[in-house]
Structure formats: C-alpha cells, structure tokens
Amino acid sequence: IYARGSCDDKGQLMMQVNAFEALNVNKELNCNVKFVIEGEEEIGSVSLSGFVHENREKLAADVVMISDTDLFGNDIPSITTSLRGLCYFEIEVTGPNRDLHSGMYGGSVGNPVNILSEMIASLKDSRGKTRIPGFYDKVLKYGKKDRSVINKAPFNLRDYKKDLAIQEIAGENGFTTIERIGIRPCLDVNGIWGGYTGEGAKTIIPSKATAKISMRLVPNQSSKEIGKLFTKYILSTAPKSVRVKVTNLHGAEPAITPTDSVAYRAASEAFKEGWGKYPIPMLEGGSIPIVTLFKKELGADSLLLGFGLREDAIHSPNESYGLFNFFKGTETIVLFYKHFAEMMMR
C-alpha cells in the first residue's frame, strides 16, 4: 500500500479497527475497548492533552494500546519498549530589510544564509556531540552489562547501509548504531531555506534564512529544559549583524514502557501463537507524545504494538505498508485481546 500515512499511521490504525470488527462480529471480544483517534500527532497532539485531562474518568483503562511503531523484522518480531522525546524549533535569521544585489553589497553586509549555516555548524563537534552546555547533564547512563544486552539484538550493519545506499554511518563517537538510535540524544537539521533557489541565476544577498531543527531526547531529559538550553545557546552564536527569532514548535517527553505487565505478556503470547516465536524488546528512536500523556493523566502504561518496517520509508516519498504486515498485524491484535482477557480474568 503506497500513500503518505499508509504505515504512519492510517494503515496501522485500520488494523485496530479491523481486529475489533472481527472480534465483535464473531462475538469473541471479552474485554471493553475504548478508541481514541486524533490527527495531530505530527504536530505534538496539541489538542489531545486538554481532552484527556477533562475526560480522565471516561478514558480510564488498564492499558493503552498504540500501533505506531516498527518491527525489528518480519522474521524477528518485536515490541517497542522505549521512545525518545523531542524538541522541535524553527530558527529565522534576518539581515537587511530586503534582498540585495550581491555585487553592490557583497562583502559589506551580513548574509543570513551564511550566518545561519555557521550557527548550525556550531551546534555539534567533530565527535558527533552537541556543544549546547548542559545538554548531556541528565542523560541516563548505561553500564557495560546493559549495553551488552542492547547490542545482542540481531542488527546487521551491512544491510542497514545497503538499504540506505550509504558507504559509512555517522554519529556520536563511542556508541554503536543501535545505541545511537535507542539510548543517546541527537540533534538534526530537518529543513533549511533562504535566498534564490529557482531556475537559473539570481545573484543576491538574501534578507532571510530559516531552518527547522529537532533534538531527540532520552530518559531523564526534559523537553522544556533542553528547549531553554538550546534557545540560549543558539542566540549566543548570532552576530549583531542579524536578528534571530527562535520559535518552539512542539516537544515530547521520552518514555519507557514495562516488560513485566499483563499487556506485554499477552502481546508476547500473541506473537508466539501467530508468528511461531516470542518477540524481542526493541528501543525506538522516534517519539510518540501521547505515551507520557496517558501515563500522567490516566496512570496507564502503553503497549507499543506496531508492525511497520524501516523500509516502509515513513515521512518520505512513496511511503508504503506491506500487505503481509497489515494482515498479520490485524491477526496479532486479535490474538492479543484473546490472551489479555484470559490473563486479566485469572
């Protein structure tokens, strides 16, 4: 299935609907189900927090099931147990009050594109770490034993690079790729523009340059604290020849979900029955803001039962969702309800 949202997250939502329909039609639904559907996840679920707070009694539940994550592979089923948080900002740098002829003014006026590029370059060092003071102060540290367990996941670096058509990986020194994604924070430019980008030539010094920058956060980091540190630092790197506007677009907190809950055990049994093997726990590099929201407001942990694959290319052109994953995911959700109800009634 090729479409924006086919995997992230309309296709996975439809698995939930289809599973519920099958159980309902066959009179096999042995527990109560409440659906909460919203379409603002990509901008931080800004309207949902108020709704959940005002309807805590109506939304009370034993567990929240979310299908918005990946599998390690179709031959290696997995359940996501950790999510990174998010800080997302827009930086606008303004120089002269209009675009200028680069011959008449070049060399005498600050160029916002050049300056923004230098500001961005100052955010990270050659070892892949950010230079923002205090950024790593509260990052959860993992010992050798925990890191060894994390790296036992059947991750193939050669296949990873082949899938992305890259010659070499990059990131923070001293950590494996799977650690960089799962247990370390990062900073990335998500978009940058300014000046003339049309066909042909137009020699100007642009009036403005803009970039969108995101930071993925790990347990113990706070999006509000990191946002303040980022804002203070980025403003300190700007010369007086430009004006800088920093806009906080949205944030999300990192989350860890339990592996000893009834829901996790029920999901594990569902995989064993449907896939012939138990799933492995997986650390996810993405963010789902509602996980911490539901925990805070409802006191309920989330079960992150997703069936996407990395090759589905979410957020990219030609995003896709495999039919095998769609139907097998639906079947697994049906089996989850069966095992969950049985375990809760024991």
Side-chain angles (χ1 to χ4, degrees), residues 91-93 112-125 129-132 187-193 209-214 230 233-234 237-238:
I91 315 300
E92 183 181 87
V93 176
V113 173
N114 292 355
I115 291 169
L116 177 58
S117 299
E118 291 167 0
M119 292 168 64
I120 290 171
S122 76
L123 286 167
K124 298 177 76 170
D125 63 22
K129 298 188 71 172
T130 81
R131 291 193 175 103
I132 301 170
L187 182 150
D188 285 289
V189 178
N190 306 120
I192 183 169
W193 65 96
T210 311
K212 293 185 186 292
I213 298 174
S214 68
F230 171 81
Y233 180 78
I234 200 72
T237 65

PDB file of all heavy atoms in Angstrom, residues 91-93 112-125 129-132 187-193 209-214 230 233-234 237-238:
ATOM      1  N   ILE A  91      14.218  28.340  13.420  1.00  0.00           N
ATOM      2  CA  ILE A  91      15.140  29.468  13.597  1.00  0.00           C
ATOM      3  C   ILE A  91      15.062  30.358  12.368  1.00  0.00           C
ATOM      4  O   ILE A  91      15.303  29.897  11.246  1.00  0.00           O
ATOM      5  CB  ILE A  91      16.602  28.990  13.765  1.00  0.00           C
ATOM      6  CG1 ILE A  91      16.680  27.807  14.745  1.00  0.00           C
ATOM      7  CG2 ILE A  91      17.500  30.145  14.195  1.00  0.00           C
ATOM      8  CD1 ILE A  91      16.178  28.100  16.113  1.00  0.00           C
ATOM      9  N   GLU A  92      14.733  31.626  12.563  1.00  0.00           N
ATOM     10  CA  GLU A  92      14.665  32.581  11.463  1.00  0.00           C
ATOM     11  C   GLU A  92      15.713  33.667  11.675  1.00  0.00           C
ATOM     12  O   GLU A  92      15.731  34.339  12.707  1.00  0.00           O
ATOM     13  CB  GLU A  92      13.276  33.211  11.392  1.00  0.00           C
ATOM     14  CG  GLU A  92      13.092  34.164  10.213  1.00  0.00           C
ATOM     15  CD  GLU A  92      11.716  34.787  10.200  1.00  0.00           C
ATOM     16  OE1 GLU A  92      11.528  35.828  10.857  1.00  0.00           O
ATOM     17  OE2 GLU A  92      10.821  34.216   9.550  1.00  0.00           O
ATOM     18  N   VAL A  93      16.589  33.821  10.701  1.00  0.00           N
ATOM     19  CA  VAL A  93      17.670  34.811  10.764  1.00  0.00           C
ATOM     20  C   VAL A  93      17.398  35.897   9.722  1.00  0.00           C
ATOM     21  O   VAL A  93      17.237  35.596   8.534  1.00  0.00           O
ATOM     22  CB  VAL A  93      19.041  34.150  10.504  1.00  0.00           C
ATOM     23  CG1 VAL A  93      20.151  35.203  10.479  1.00  0.00           C
ATOM     24  CG2 VAL A  93      19.330  33.097  11.568  1.00  0.00           C
ATOM     25  N   PRO A 112      22.438  36.380   5.783  1.00  0.00           N
ATOM     26  CA  PRO A 112      21.712  35.484   6.696  1.00  0.00           C
ATOM     27  C   PRO A 112      21.912  34.000   6.420  1.00  0.00           C
ATOM     28  O   PRO A 112      21.952  33.194   7.362  1.00  0.00           O
ATOM     29  CB  PRO A 112      20.250  35.894   6.491  1.00  0.00           C
ATOM     30  CG  PRO A 112      20.326  37.324   6.096  1.00  0.00           C
ATOM     31  CD  PRO A 112      21.542  37.411   5.221  1.00  0.00           C
ATOM     32  N   VAL A 113      22.044  33.620   5.145  1.00  0.00           N
ATOM     33  CA  VAL A 113      22.253  32.199   4.846  1.00  0.00           C
ATOM     34  C   VAL A 113      23.619  31.750   5.348  1.00  0.00           C
ATOM     35  O   VAL A 113      23.761  30.687   5.973  1.00  0.00           O
ATOM     36  CB  VAL A 113      22.103  31.929   3.334  1.00  0.00           C
ATOM     37  CG1 VAL A 113      22.488  30.482   3.017  1.00  0.00           C
ATOM     38  CG2 VAL A 113      20.675  32.192   2.877  1.00  0.00           C
ATOM     39  N   ASN A 114      24.658  32.559   5.089  1.00  0.00           N
ATOM     40  CA  ASN A 114      25.992  32.226   5.584  1.00  0.00           C
ATOM     41  C   ASN A 114      26.003  32.145   7.107  1.00  0.00           C
ATOM     42  O   ASN A 114      26.561  31.218   7.701  1.00  0.00           O
ATOM     43  CB  ASN A 114      27.010  33.290   5.148  1.00  0.00           C
ATOM     44  CG  ASN A 114      27.253  33.294   3.654  1.00  0.00           C
ATOM     45  OD1 ASN A 114      26.737  32.450   2.936  1.00  0.00           O
ATOM     46  ND2 ASN A 114      28.024  34.255   3.189  1.00  0.00           N
ATOM     47  N   ILE A 115      25.378  33.127   7.726  1.00  0.00           N
ATOM     48  CA  ILE A 115      25.390  33.206   9.196  1.00  0.00           C
ATOM     49  C   ILE A 115      24.606  32.057   9.815  1.00  0.00           C
ATOM     50  O   ILE A 115      25.059  31.430  10.779  1.00  0.00           O
ATOM     51  CB  ILE A 115      24.843  34.571   9.650  1.00  0.00           C
ATOM     52  CG1 ILE A 115      25.842  35.667   9.271  1.00  0.00           C
ATOM     53  CG2 ILE A 115      24.578  34.578  11.147  1.00  0.00           C
ATOM     54  CD1 ILE A 115      25.316  37.076   9.423  1.00  0.00           C
ATOM     55  N   LEU A 116      23.427  31.739   9.256  1.00  0.00           N
ATOM     56  CA  LEU A 116      22.655  30.616   9.782  1.00  0.00           C
ATOM     57  C   LEU A 116      23.436  29.315   9.641  1.00  0.00           C
ATOM     58  O   LEU A 116      23.421  28.468  10.545  1.00  0.00           O
ATOM     59  CB  LEU A 116      21.312  30.510   9.057  1.00  0.00           C
ATOM     60  CG  LEU A 116      20.418  29.334   9.451  1.00  0.00           C
ATOM     61  CD1 LEU A 116      20.096  29.351  10.948  1.00  0.00           C
ATOM     62  CD2 LEU A 116      19.122  29.330   8.634  1.00  0.00           C
ATOM     63  N   SER A 117      24.133  29.153   8.526  1.00  0.00           N
ATOM     64  CA  SER A 117      24.949  27.951   8.317  1.00  0.00           C
ATOM     65  C   SER A 117      26.034  27.839   9.382  1.00  0.00           C
ATOM     66  O   SER A 117      26.299  26.751   9.920  1.00  0.00           O
ATOM     67  CB  SER A 117      25.580  27.972   6.927  1.00  0.00           C
ATOM     68  OG  SER A 117      24.599  27.998   5.915  1.00  0.00           O
ATOM     69  N   GLU A 118      26.654  28.964   9.717  1.00  0.00           N
ATOM     70  CA  GLU A 118      27.693  28.964  10.743  1.00  0.00           C
ATOM     71  C   GLU A 118      27.097  28.674  12.125  1.00  0.00           C
ATOM     72  O   GLU A 118      27.698  27.955  12.936  1.00  0.00           O
ATOM     73  CB  GLU A 118      28.404  30.321  10.754  1.00  0.00           C
ATOM     74  CG  GLU A 118      29.251  30.568   9.512  1.00  0.00           C
ATOM     75  CD  GLU A 118      29.689  32.017   9.386  1.00  0.00           C
ATOM     76  OE1 GLU A 118      29.320  32.825  10.266  1.00  0.00           O
ATOM     77  OE2 GLU A 118      30.400  32.331   8.419  1.00  0.00           O
ATOM     78  N   MET A 119      25.914  29.208  12.391  1.00  0.00           N
ATOM     79  CA  MET A 119      25.245  28.945  13.672  1.00  0.00           C
ATOM     80  C   MET A 119      24.924  27.466  13.820  1.00  0.00           C
ATOM     81  O   MET A 119      25.120  26.867  14.880  1.00  0.00           O
ATOM     82  CB  MET A 119      23.971  29.788  13.776  1.00  0.00           C
ATOM     83  CG  MET A 119      24.221  31.284  13.895  1.00  0.00           C
ATOM     84  SD  MET A 119      22.714  32.267  13.666  1.00  0.00           S
ATOM     85  CE  MET A 119      21.720  31.744  15.076  1.00  0.00           C
ATOM     86  N   ILE A 120      24.429  26.876  12.732  1.00  0.00           N
ATOM     87  CA  ILE A 120      24.097  25.450  12.756  1.00  0.00           C
ATOM     88  C   ILE A 120      25.360  24.609  12.936  1.00  0.00           C
ATOM     89  O   ILE A 120      25.379  23.660  13.726  1.00  0.00           O
ATOM     90  CB  ILE A 120      23.353  25.049  11.471  1.00  0.00           C
ATOM     91  CG1 ILE A 120      21.950  25.667  11.464  1.00  0.00           C
ATOM     92  CG2 ILE A 120      23.267  23.530  11.338  1.00  0.00           C
ATOM     93  CD1 ILE A 120      21.213  25.501  10.153  1.00  0.00           C
ATOM     94  N   ALA A 121      26.422  24.976  12.209  1.00  0.00           N
ATOM     95  CA  ALA A 121      27.675  24.220  12.308  1.00  0.00           C
ATOM     96  C   ALA A 121      28.243  24.255  13.723  1.00  0.00           C
ATOM     97  O   ALA A 121      28.911  23.307  14.158  1.00  0.00           O
ATOM     98  CB  ALA A 121      28.691  24.784  11.317  1.00  0.00           C
ATOM     99  N   SER A 122      27.964  25.321  14.463  1.00  0.00           N
ATOM    100  CA  SER A 122      28.497  25.444  15.820  1.00  0.00           C
ATOM    101  C   SER A 122      27.774  24.557  16.825  1.00  0.00           C
ATOM    102  O   SER A 122      28.225  24.392  17.966  1.00  0.00           O
ATOM    103  CB  SER A 122      28.395  26.906  16.289  1.00  0.00           C
ATOM    104  OG  SER A 122      27.059  27.239  16.642  1.00  0.00           O
ATOM    105  N   LEU A 123      26.659  23.953  16.428  1.00  0.00           N
ATOM    106  CA  LEU A 123      25.866  23.159  17.356  1.00  0.00           C
ATOM    107  C   LEU A 123      26.498  21.808  17.689  1.00  0.00           C
ATOM    108  O   LEU A 123      26.214  21.234  18.740  1.00  0.00           O
ATOM    109  CB  LEU A 123      24.458  22.927  16.782  1.00  0.00           C
ATOM    110  CG  LEU A 123      23.514  24.134  16.814  1.00  0.00           C
ATOM    111  CD1 LEU A 123      22.288  23.868  15.942  1.00  0.00           C
ATOM    112  CD2 LEU A 123      23.077  24.432  18.242  1.00  0.00           C
ATOM    113  N   LYS A 124      27.342  21.272  16.797  1.00  0.00           N
ATOM    114  CA  LYS A 124      27.915  19.950  17.026  1.00  0.00           C
ATOM    115  C   LYS A 124      29.419  19.969  16.788  1.00  0.00           C
ATOM    116  O   LYS A 124      29.928  20.754  15.976  1.00  0.00           O
ATOM    117  CB  LYS A 124      27.247  18.918  16.098  1.00  0.00           C
ATOM    118  CG  LYS A 124      25.760  18.758  16.338  1.00  0.00           C
ATOM    119  CD  LYS A 124      25.114  17.796  15.360  1.00  0.00           C
ATOM    120  CE  LYS A 124      25.402  16.370  15.688  1.00  0.00           C
ATOM    121  NZ  LYS A 124      24.597  15.427  14.879  1.00  0.00           N
ATOM    122  N   ASP A 125      30.133  19.079  17.494  1.00  0.00           N
ATOM    123  CA  ASP A 125      31.568  18.980  17.298  1.00  0.00           C
ATOM    124  C   ASP A 125      31.900  17.810  16.375  1.00  0.00           C
ATOM    125  O   ASP A 125      31.006  17.106  15.889  1.00  0.00           O
ATOM    126  CB  ASP A 125      32.305  18.864  18.638  1.00  0.00           C
ATOM    127  CG  ASP A 125      31.945  17.591  19.415  1.00  0.00           C
ATOM    128  OD1 ASP A 125      31.471  16.612  18.789  1.00  0.00           O
ATOM    129  OD2 ASP A 125      32.131  17.574  20.641  1.00  0.00           O
ATOM    130  N   LYS A 129      28.859  15.095  19.036  1.00  0.00           N
ATOM    131  CA  LYS A 129      28.153  15.556  20.226  1.00  0.00           C
ATOM    132  C   LYS A 129      27.760  17.021  20.067  1.00  0.00           C
ATOM    133  O   LYS A 129      28.441  17.794  19.399  1.00  0.00           O
ATOM    134  CB  LYS A 129      29.037  15.410  21.477  1.00  0.00           C
ATOM    135  CG  LYS A 129      29.428  13.978  21.780  1.00  0.00           C
ATOM    136  CD  LYS A 129      30.121  13.856  23.121  1.00  0.00           C
ATOM    137  CE  LYS A 129      29.168  14.067  24.284  1.00  0.00           C
ATOM    138  NZ  LYS A 129      29.804  13.766  25.592  1.00  0.00           N
ATOM    139  N   THR A 130      26.655  17.402  20.699  1.00  0.00           N
ATOM    140  CA  THR A 130      26.257  18.796  20.639  1.00  0.00           C
ATOM    141  C   THR A 130      27.119  19.613  21.595  1.00  0.00           C
ATOM    142  O   THR A 130      27.609  19.118  22.612  1.00  0.00           O
ATOM    143  CB  THR A 130      24.773  19.015  21.019  1.00  0.00           C
ATOM    144  OG1 THR A 130      24.648  19.026  22.442  1.00  0.00           O
ATOM    145  CG2 THR A 130      23.886  17.938  20.431  1.00  0.00           C
ATOM    146  N   ARG A 131      27.277  20.886  21.247  1.00  0.00           N
ATOM    147  CA  ARG A 131      28.065  21.795  22.081  1.00  0.00           C
ATOM    148  C   ARG A 131      27.188  22.590  23.054  1.00  0.00           C
ATOM    149  O   ARG A 131      27.686  23.464  23.756  1.00  0.00           O
ATOM    150  CB  ARG A 131      28.832  22.773  21.193  1.00  0.00           C
ATOM    151  CG  ARG A 131      29.951  22.147  20.369  1.00  0.00           C
ATOM    152  CD  ARG A 131      30.821  23.254  19.785  1.00  0.00           C
ATOM    153  NE  ARG A 131      31.968  22.734  19.082  1.00  0.00           N
ATOM    154  CZ  ARG A 131      32.076  22.654  17.754  1.00  0.00           C
ATOM    155  NH1 ARG A 131      31.050  23.050  17.008  1.00  0.00           N
ATOM    156  NH2 ARG A 131      33.164  22.196  17.182  1.00  0.00           N
ATOM    157  N   ILE A 132      25.910  22.301  23.097  1.00  0.00           N
ATOM    158  CA  ILE A 132      24.999  23.044  23.968  1.00  0.00           C
ATOM    159  C   ILE A 132      25.333  22.737  25.428  1.00  0.00           C
ATOM    160  O   ILE A 132      25.240  21.578  25.856  1.00  0.00           O
ATOM    161  CB  ILE A 132      23.535  22.665  23.686  1.00  0.00           C
ATOM    162  CG1 ILE A 132      23.173  22.964  22.232  1.00  0.00           C
ATOM    163  CG2 ILE A 132      22.598  23.399  24.627  1.00  0.00           C
ATOM    164  CD1 ILE A 132      21.825  22.412  21.807  1.00  0.00           C
ATOM    165  N   LEU A 187      20.825  15.690  17.600  1.00  0.00           N
ATOM    166  CA  LEU A 187      20.345  16.964  17.052  1.00  0.00           C
ATOM    167  C   LEU A 187      20.484  16.923  15.546  1.00  0.00           C
ATOM    168  O   LEU A 187      21.534  16.551  15.022  1.00  0.00           O
ATOM    169  CB  LEU A 187      21.140  18.124  17.642  1.00  0.00           C
ATOM    170  CG  LEU A 187      20.742  19.538  17.209  1.00  0.00           C
ATOM    171  CD1 LEU A 187      21.041  20.546  18.327  1.00  0.00           C
ATOM    172  CD2 LEU A 187      21.453  19.977  15.936  1.00  0.00           C
ATOM    173  N   ASP A 188      19.419  17.308  14.836  1.00  0.00           N
ATOM    174  CA  ASP A 188      19.444  17.279  13.375  1.00  0.00           C
ATOM    175  C   ASP A 188      18.713  18.469  12.780  1.00  0.00           C
ATOM    176  O   ASP A 188      17.707  18.933  13.331  1.00  0.00           O
ATOM    177  CB  ASP A 188      18.797  15.998  12.849  1.00  0.00           C
ATOM    178  CG  ASP A 188      19.689  14.789  13.035  1.00  0.00           C
ATOM    179  OD1 ASP A 188      20.705  14.696  12.323  1.00  0.00           O
ATOM    180  OD2 ASP A 188      19.388  13.949  13.896  1.00  0.00           O
ATOM    181  N   VAL A 189      19.202  18.930  11.646  1.00  0.00           N
ATOM    182  CA  VAL A 189      18.502  19.945  10.855  1.00  0.00           C
ATOM    183  C   VAL A 189      17.483  19.220   9.985  1.00  0.00           C
ATOM    184  O   VAL A 189      17.831  18.332   9.211  1.00  0.00           O
ATOM    185  CB  VAL A 189      19.481  20.741   9.972  1.00  0.00           C
ATOM    186  CG1 VAL A 189      18.719  21.761   9.127  1.00  0.00           C
ATOM    187  CG2 VAL A 189      20.523  21.442  10.841  1.00  0.00           C
ATOM    188  N   ASN A 190      16.216  19.583  10.099  1.00  0.00           N
ATOM    189  CA  ASN A 190      15.158  18.931   9.332  1.00  0.00           C
ATOM    190  C   ASN A 190      14.821  19.651   8.042  1.00  0.00           C
ATOM    191  O   ASN A 190      14.191  19.086   7.141  1.00  0.00           O
ATOM    192  CB  ASN A 190      13.887  18.822  10.187  1.00  0.00           C
ATOM    193  CG  ASN A 190      14.146  18.139  11.512  1.00  0.00           C
ATOM    194  OD1 ASN A 190      13.929  18.719  12.562  1.00  0.00           O
ATOM    195  ND2 ASN A 190      14.642  16.913  11.488  1.00  0.00           N
ATOM    196  N   GLY A 191      15.225  20.912   7.948  1.00  0.00           N
ATOM    197  CA  GLY A 191      14.972  21.685   6.736  1.00  0.00           C
ATOM    198  C   GLY A 191      15.694  23.014   6.831  1.00  0.00           C
ATOM    199  O   GLY A 191      15.895  23.551   7.921  1.00  0.00           O
ATOM    200  N   ILE A 192      16.108  23.538   5.671  1.00  0.00           N
ATOM    201  CA  ILE A 192      16.796  24.825   5.650  1.00  0.00           C
ATOM    202  C   ILE A 192      16.526  25.498   4.306  1.00  0.00           C
ATOM    203  O   ILE A 192      16.552  24.853   3.260  1.00  0.00           O
ATOM    204  CB  ILE A 192      18.315  24.649   5.893  1.00  0.00           C
ATOM    205  CG1 ILE A 192      19.023  26.005   5.951  1.00  0.00           C
ATOM    206  CG2 ILE A 192      18.956  23.725   4.866  1.00  0.00           C
ATOM    207  CD1 ILE A 192      20.448  25.916   6.454  1.00  0.00           C
ATOM    208  N   TRP A 193      16.235  26.804   4.342  1.00  0.00           N
ATOM    209  CA  TRP A 193      15.966  27.521   3.106  1.00  0.00           C
ATOM    210  C   TRP A 193      16.269  29.008   3.267  1.00  0.00           C
ATOM    211  O   TRP A 193      16.337  29.532   4.370  1.00  0.00           O
ATOM    212  CB  TRP A 193      14.523  27.305   2.656  1.00  0.00           C
ATOM    213  CG  TRP A 193      13.468  27.872   3.578  1.00  0.00           C
ATOM    214  CD1 TRP A 193      12.834  29.073   3.472  1.00  0.00           C
ATOM    215  CD2 TRP A 193      12.921  27.242   4.752  1.00  0.00           C
ATOM    216  NE1 TRP A 193      11.923  29.240   4.493  1.00  0.00           N
ATOM    217  CE2 TRP A 193      11.961  28.131   5.300  1.00  0.00           C
ATOM    218  CE3 TRP A 193      13.146  26.022   5.391  1.00  0.00           C
ATOM    219  CZ2 TRP A 193      11.241  27.840   6.458  1.00  0.00           C
ATOM    220  CZ3 TRP A 193      12.427  25.738   6.543  1.00  0.00           C
ATOM    221  CH2 TRP A 193      11.483  26.637   7.050  1.00  0.00           C
ATOM    222  N   ALA A 209      16.932  33.830   6.214  1.00  0.00           N
ATOM    223  CA  ALA A 209      17.231  32.402   6.105  1.00  0.00           C
ATOM    224  C   ALA A 209      16.555  31.700   7.281  1.00  0.00           C
ATOM    225  O   ALA A 209      16.481  32.252   8.387  1.00  0.00           O
ATOM    226  CB  ALA A 209      18.731  32.159   6.137  1.00  0.00           C
ATOM    227  N   THR A 210      16.051  30.501   7.031  1.00  0.00           N
ATOM    228  CA  THR A 210      15.281  29.791   8.054  1.00  0.00           C
ATOM    229  C   THR A 210      15.681  28.321   8.096  1.00  0.00           C
ATOM    230  O   THR A 210      16.021  27.728   7.070  1.00  0.00           O
ATOM    231  CB  THR A 210      13.769  29.884   7.757  1.00  0.00           C
ATOM    232  OG1 THR A 210      13.423  31.249   7.497  1.00  0.00           O
ATOM    233  CG2 THR A 210      12.943  29.373   8.927  1.00  0.00           C
ATOM    234  N   ALA A 211      15.629  27.754   9.282  1.00  0.00           N
ATOM    235  CA  ALA A 211      15.906  26.326   9.444  1.00  0.00           C
ATOM    236  C   ALA A 211      14.975  25.738  10.499  1.00  0.00           C
ATOM    237  O   ALA A 211      14.534  26.432  11.418  1.00  0.00           O
ATOM    238  CB  ALA A 211      17.357  26.092   9.854  1.00  0.00           C
ATOM    239  N   LYS A 212      14.658  24.468  10.329  1.00  0.00           N
ATOM    240  CA  LYS A 212      13.931  23.710  11.343  1.00  0.00           C
ATOM    241  C   LYS A 212      14.908  22.703  11.941  1.00  0.00           C
ATOM    242  O   LYS A 212      15.581  21.971  11.203  1.00  0.00           O
ATOM    243  CB  LYS A 212      12.713  23.015  10.738  1.00  0.00           C
ATOM    244  CG  LYS A 212      11.636  23.982  10.258  1.00  0.00           C
ATOM    245  CD  LYS A 212      10.402  23.245   9.772  1.00  0.00           C
ATOM    246  CE  LYS A 212       9.386  24.205   9.157  1.00  0.00           C
ATOM    247  NZ  LYS A 212       8.780  25.103  10.159  1.00  0.00           N
ATOM    248  N   ILE A 213      14.982  22.678  13.262  1.00  0.00           N
ATOM    249  CA  ILE A 213      15.955  21.847  13.966  1.00  0.00           C
ATOM    250  C   ILE A 213      15.242  21.040  15.040  1.00  0.00           C
ATOM    251  O   ILE A 213      14.446  21.579  15.814  1.00  0.00           O
ATOM    252  CB  ILE A 213      17.057  22.718  14.607  1.00  0.00           C
ATOM    253  CG1 ILE A 213      17.823  23.473  13.506  1.00  0.00           C
ATOM    254  CG2 ILE A 213      18.011  21.865  15.431  1.00  0.00           C
ATOM    255  CD1 ILE A 213      18.832  24.464  14.050  1.00  0.00           C
ATOM    256  N   SER A 214      15.531  19.747  15.082  1.00  0.00           N
ATOM    257  CA  SER A 214      14.929  18.893  16.105  1.00  0.00           C
ATOM    258  C   SER A 214      16.003  18.210  16.933  1.00  0.00           C
ATOM    259  O   SER A 214      17.112  17.950  16.453  1.00  0.00           O
ATOM    260  CB  SER A 214      14.009  17.842  15.479  1.00  0.00           C
ATOM    261  OG  SER A 214      14.766  16.905  14.739  1.00  0.00           O
ATOM    262  N   PHE A 230      18.815  25.091  24.454  1.00  0.00           N
ATOM    263  CA  PHE A 230      19.023  25.283  23.014  1.00  0.00           C
ATOM    264  C   PHE A 230      18.819  26.751  22.618  1.00  0.00           C
ATOM    265  O   PHE A 230      19.633  27.334  21.898  1.00  0.00           O
ATOM    266  CB  PHE A 230      18.065  24.389  22.220  1.00  0.00           C
ATOM    267  CG  PHE A 230      18.057  24.669  20.744  1.00  0.00           C
ATOM    268  CD1 PHE A 230      19.038  24.151  19.920  1.00  0.00           C
ATOM    269  CD2 PHE A 230      17.069  25.471  20.181  1.00  0.00           C
ATOM    270  CE1 PHE A 230      19.037  24.414  18.563  1.00  0.00           C
ATOM    271  CE2 PHE A 230      17.061  25.738  18.819  1.00  0.00           C
ATOM    272  CZ  PHE A 230      18.048  25.209  18.006  1.00  0.00           C
ATOM    273  N   TYR A 233      21.655  28.978  23.786  1.00  0.00           N
ATOM    274  CA  TYR A 233      22.903  28.759  23.056  1.00  0.00           C
ATOM    275  C   TYR A 233      22.824  29.299  21.632  1.00  0.00           C
ATOM    276  O   TYR A 233      23.744  29.988  21.174  1.00  0.00           O
ATOM    277  CB  TYR A 233      23.240  27.267  23.018  1.00  0.00           C
ATOM    278  CG  TYR A 233      24.523  26.983  22.262  1.00  0.00           C
ATOM    279  CD1 TYR A 233      25.748  27.199  22.855  1.00  0.00           C
ATOM    280  CD2 TYR A 233      24.497  26.536  20.939  1.00  0.00           C
ATOM    281  CE1 TYR A 233      26.935  26.970  22.170  1.00  0.00           C
ATOM    282  CE2 TYR A 233      25.662  26.295  20.243  1.00  0.00           C
ATOM    283  CZ  TYR A 233      26.884  26.521  20.856  1.00  0.00           C
ATOM    284  OH  TYR A 233      28.050  26.309  20.167  1.00  0.00           O
ATOM    285  N   ILE A 234      21.729  29.005  20.922  1.00  0.00           N
ATOM    286  CA  ILE A 234      21.651  29.429  19.517  1.00  0.00           C
ATOM    287  C   ILE A 234      21.647  30.946  19.403  1.00  0.00           C
ATOM    288  O   ILE A 234      22.231  31.519  18.480  1.00  0.00           O
ATOM    289  CB  ILE A 234      20.420  28.799  18.814  1.00  0.00           C
ATOM    290  CG1 ILE A 234      20.591  28.812  17.285  1.00  0.00           C
ATOM    291  CG2 ILE A 234      19.134  29.490  19.205  1.00  0.00           C
ATOM    292  CD1 ILE A 234      21.592  27.835  16.764  1.00  0.00           C
ATOM    293  N   THR A 237      25.141  32.460  19.567  1.00  0.00           N
ATOM    294  CA  THR A 237      26.025  32.280  18.408  1.00  0.00           C
ATOM    295  C   THR A 237      25.761  33.292  17.298  1.00  0.00           C
ATOM    296  O   THR A 237      26.478  33.310  16.302  1.00  0.00           O
ATOM    297  CB  THR A 237      25.865  30.862  17.825  1.00  0.00           C
ATOM    298  OG1 THR A 237      24.536  30.701  17.303  1.00  0.00           O
ATOM    299  CG2 THR A 237      26.117  29.801  18.884  1.00  0.00           C
ATOM    300  N   ALA A 238      24.730  34.112  17.443  1.00  0.00           N
ATOM    301  CA  ALA A 238      24.344  35.048  16.382  1.00  0.00           C
ATOM    302  C   ALA A 238      25.120  36.364  16.492  1.00  0.00           C
ATOM    303  O   ALA A 238      25.167  36.971  17.564  1.00  0.00           O
ATOM    304  CB  ALA A 238      22.856  35.318  16.447  1.00  0.00           C
TER     305      ALA A 238
END
